[in-house]
Amino acid sequence: MVSPIKEQPYLQKQPIPFNNENMTKGFRYLLIIYIAVATQAAFGQRQMEKLDRGLVAVRYAPDSVFLSWRISGTEPDDIAFNLYRIAAGEPVKKLNTIPLVKGTNFVDVTATSVHDNHYEVKAILNGKEESAGKPFTLKANTAVQQYLNIPLRTPAGYTPNDASAGDLDGDGEYEIILHQTGRSRDNSSNGITDPPIFQAYKINGTFLWEINLGKNIREGAHYTQFIVYDLDGDGIAEFACKTADGTIDGKGKVIGDSTKDYRNNNGKILSGPEFFTIFSGRTGEALATTDYIPSRGDLGAWGGKGGNGKNDNTGNRADRFNACVAYLDGLHPSVVMCRGYYGRTVLAAWDWQNGKLTSRWVFDSKDGKNPFSGQGNHNLTVADVDGDGKDEIIYGSMCVDDNGKGLYTTGLRHGDALHVSDLDPERPGLEVFGVHEIEEGTKGPGAAVYDARTGEILWHGSEDEDVGRGVADNIDHTRYGAQMWWSGSNGLFDIKGNRIGEQPRSTNFLIYWDGDLSRELLDGNHIDKYNGGRLLTANGAIANNWTKSTPALSADIFGDWREELILRSYDNQSLRIYTTTIPTDHRNYTLMHDPQYRLSIAWQNDGYNQPPHTGFYFGHGMKKAPKPNIKLVEPQK
């Protein structure tokens, strides 16, 4: 099933700026690490959002309340906490007898349900108790349930779909930005779609704004990729996406000409202007709009229909989009809007600073003969692959450097799933695991691992097989390093390519949920432990995207470092944010302050959704997580 590749004739990369032939492999990697560490130490800190304590409480049993809270990535390792409960008719009660120095979670078994229970957590630094963070109130007679509920204003005929998170008002708490989808169509299908709609909500259910992209933006998984992130460093997130004539912003203002209708007889939109817009996170107001880069150009340049060798002029391949955020200068985030992955491939980096939208660079493979053409996925990821403090974009089977130049292409072609992290902690640097399709007469491995910095292929499997799904992470809590499996793999493999167990039933998603450091399997509305049974069934809630069974969002939204699961209710009238109620003594700063993980949340909604990963090995046998090189931004009120 799995075999090493000694020669890689299809690997195309730029020359590495030192002579590899005169270095042993071990010495070469030591030099890489030394250069990376020295460069990063000299580089500035990334601007990132300043979060509150993220205290949350859920009554998961009649006599038990589970509480958890987060540690910032900039706080000292020896920080301790006191936890307090304030209830009507009772004196303020300190719940812990000694300062809490292990996991940032606690089970309160003395809280009655007949009164509101207000909880506060206070940090202890250098032996001194600090002031309390934002309290959390568990209302009287709250039902026994493991989730917070956000009521929605779902339009008639629409369904809640992908979501993202960002601090839209500078209060240190995440808000949820939701993609509401009506009638949709795949790129390969004809037919009219409903306009994509985006809505913003606070965690407490407060509705903030709605943006309607209008009839000249088609609805479907490959069309509307959206970004939520603090792009200008003011502590408040913006919303960004592709727009067109007739888009209505959160203030009711129309972008372009609302009278235009560019839909053809097949329901496709192959003419008319295409825009890129930055919206205010506070209000949904359009702040800046410019032409989308790239324009459609020659429709046939974006790839063939598949199997017949002819160019596609129906818009199927031309309207394949991706999007992400990357710290291309190491300090400030840039938004990167992308088009194409079957043939011509273009990535356009934009900066939003001081109220101005400017183009940073444009990467364009230009034609199908370029080795960087046809290597993209239905998704992407962002990571600092060379350790210089600046991000690269892993675009399926190729990588674009922070300067907008092609770093390398493996030639492994298009695929549906992508995972990047320190999958092999015994080996320096990051690794990439991906699966690949067979189309247009191509051949090659259906699954492969390669070095994230150089593109060197480390092992591969399922030769000349079309593989649609695959997952990689540490899911076996008895083993060190990541495990991998894919559709048709007939087993679970370690990072070296050795079969070590039975293939998990799910090849969809991952989540940190229980008390150990390994990850669990998230599939639809349930969470399972590999070789350990069911941990959660979210009765009354449902996942999205048909057979993909992906959540609206899975991320470390609040509480400790474990991840929350956001699903829609069966009736589509609410979102449910599920949080773990399993105690743990393991302590870690919030995953949202690991730069790679935070950027993973920004692109999670992109195309075929993929789970987020940290920029370091997180799992069984891990070392203490490295302190992130970040600077928290005070929000501008």
Side-chain angles (χ1 to χ4, degrees), residues 69 80-84 94-100 120-124 128-130 132:
W69 57 95
F81 298 96
N82 286 328
L83 184 64
Y84 296 88
K94 182 180 176 183
L95 297 177
N96 53 296
T97 56
I98 60 175
L100 302 171
E120 293 182 346
V121 63
K122 297 183 180 182
I124 305 171
K128 180 181 178 182
E129 186 179 74
E130 304 287 312

Side-chain angles (χ1 to χ4, degrees), residues 10 64 111 153 164 179 184 196 198 236 238 285 289 319 350 367 384 386 406 411 444 500 504 521 529 543 583 589 602:
Y10 37 76
S64 298
R153 299 185 184 182
S164 193
H179 182 182
S184 64
F198 289 91
I236 298 170
E238 284 76 38
E285 178 185 7
T289 296
D319 279 355
W350 296 92
D367 58 58
D384 177 10
D386 52 12
I500 57 173
L521 305 171
K529 187 74 173 175
Y589 55 82

Side-chain angles (χ1 to χ4, degrees), residues 230-369:
D230 177 14
L231 298 172
D232 58 2
D234 65 355
I236 298 170
E238 284 76 38
F239 174 83
C241 69
K242 184 173 179 283
T243 57
D245 279 336
T247 293
I248 303 173
D249 76 3
K251 290 285 192 178
K253 182 180 178 181
V254 176
I255 294 174
D257 188 342
S258 62
T259 68
K260 299 296 184 182
D261 186 346
Y262 296 104
R263 296 171 293 183
N264 65 19
N265 292 334
N266 293 322
K268 299 291 188 74
I269 303 167
L270 305 180
S271 62
E274 299 174 284
F275 305 135
F276 172 55
T277 300
I278 303 289
F279 297 89
S280 165
R282 285 188 186 273
T283 66
E285 178 185 7
L287 301 177
T289 296
T290 189
D291 290 336
Y292 190 89
I293 297 177
S295 61
R296 300 179 187 91
D298 176 11
L299 294 179
W302 302 97
K305 294 181 180 178
N308 59 12
K310 295 181 180 180
N311 287 340
D312 166 47
N313 291 303
T314 68
N316 181 15
R317 303 306 201 210
D319 279 355
R320 303 285 181 142
F321 299 97
N322 285 317
C324 65
V325 172
Y327 286 75
L328 301 172
D329 65 357
L331 296 173
H332 313 96
S334 300
V335 58
V336 183
M337 305 301 291
C338 317
R339 187 178 212 146
Y341 36 78
Y342 290 105
R344 183 187 176 197
T345 299
V346 182
L347 288 72
W350 296 92
D351 291 339
W352 172 248
Q353 294 290 328
N354 301 316
K356 294 182 179 180
L357 183 61
T358 58
S359 173
R360 173 174 284 268
W361 49 250
V362 177
F363 170 90
D364 192 344
S365 72
K366 297 182 180 179
D367 58 58
K369 295 180 181 180

